[in-house]
Amino acid sequence: MAYSLSPLPYAYDSLEPYIDAETMHLHHDKHHQTYVNNSNAAVETLSTELQNLSAEELLKSLDKVPAEKLTAIKNNVGGHVNHTFFWELLKVGTELKGELKTAIEKDFGSVDAFKEKFAAAAAGRFGSGWAWLVVQDGKLAVVSTPNQDTPIMGDKFAGVHGTPILTLDVWEHAYYLKYQNRRVDYIGAFWQVVNWDKVAQLYAATK
Ligand code: MN
């Protein structure tokens, strides 16, 4: 069961000027495609049982992956799953409201306090990685992971756990063309392209 790259669920330029079309082309068509290709090569070496899992199920079953294949699976299947998830979370013009907004205010004190915590996790991730808003043990929490690790891998493999409902890619390839070394500006622009409707839907699904 080979993985394939789905088209972006919107036009490449639809996140302008916050995330530019050239970055989206490079990020989706080249970087994400490479994760898909390398995932397929890595998964081919696994048992039939593991090959038959979905990419997400495989990342939740890393205990069953032979140690010498673990890094290739984490980096590539993680990259595929994380990017697929990330694309769905981007849209201009939605609003944080309802049950999700109430939960953010309850668990972080205020929306601004949440944004500060998330931005600090994204800015403070040394090197390449991701910032996440997760539902963790019944509460919202902000965490970050290195490389292509995701909270769905669990504590043993990612150092964190939880069900992701929002993420931000802070690899340089995600922002360097437009923002160069200014990761903080990219993080600031991210708030203009968060698809809060999707985040709310993911949050509701954890209930
Ligand atoms: Mn990326």
Side-chain angles (χ1 to χ4, degrees):
M1 187 191 66
Y3 305 135
S4 59
L5 180 63
S6 297
L8 273 185
Y10 38 75
Y12 289 92
D13 63 358
S14 62
L15 306 173
E16 293 267 13
Y18 310 106
I19 301 179
D20 58 294
E22 193 185 0
T23 295
M24 291 304 289
H25 269 289
L26 188 71
H27 200 174
H28 175 270
D29 304 355
K30 304 297 180 189
H31 288 280
H32 190 171
Q33 182 70 63
T34 299
Y35 290 115
V36 169
N37 297 347
N38 291 344
S39 289
N40 286 330
V43 169
E44 248 180 32
T45 71
L46 299 178
S47 67
T48 310
E49 182 204 353
L50 291 174
Q51 286 190 41
N52 285 336
L53 298 177
S54 71
E56 291 83 356
E57 288 167 342
L58 179 57
L59 296 183
K60 292 174 182 174
S61 310
L62 292 177
D63 263 328
K64 295 177 184 165
V65 173
E68 71 276 12
K69 294 171 181 172
L70 189 59
T71 300
I73 294 296
K74 282 179 72 180
N75 287 349
N76 294 297
V77 181
H80 173 42
V81 167
N82 289 345
H83 286 89
T84 302
F85 185 63
F86 182 51
W87 307 137
E88 292 181 354
L89 289 161
L90 304 177
K91 186 179 183 179
V92 172
T94 67
E95 187 194 343
L96 172 59
K97 55 184 193 285
E99 203 186 349
L100 175 63
K101 186 179 182 192
T102 304
I104 284 176
E105 287 167 345
K106 177 170 168 282
D107 291 340
F108 296 100
S110 68
V111 173
D112 284 347
F114 154 67
K115 286 184 173 177
E116 274 172 36
K117 192 164 189 185
F118 188 95
R125 167 50 56 191
F126 183 76
S128 298
W130 298 75
W132 306 85
L133 173 61
V134 297
V135 178
Q136 187 182 73
D137 311 323
K139 284 183 69 174
L140 292 169
V142 165
V143 298
S144 80
T145 55
N147 306 313
Q148 295 297 351
D149 291 0
T150 148
I152 71 171
M153 294 172 178
D155 289 314
K156 181 175 174 186
F157 297 100
V160 292
H161 67 277
T163 303
I165 62 171
L166 177 65
T167 193
L168 176 61
D169 186 344
V170 291
W171 283 59
E172 282 189 345
H173 69 227
Y175 62 87
Y176 206 85
L177 281 182
K178 183 176 174 74
Y179 294 96
Q180 291 84 46
N181 60 320
R182 301 186 307 277
R183 187 192 282 190
V184 167
D185 292 353
Y186 162 69
I187 295 165
F190 173 63
W191 299 118
Q192 304 301 318
V193 298
V194 173
N195 184 348
W196 288 114
D197 296 340
K198 181 69 185 177
V199 184
Q201 183 191 326
L202 291 166
Y203 178 65
T206 68
K207 295 295 202 177

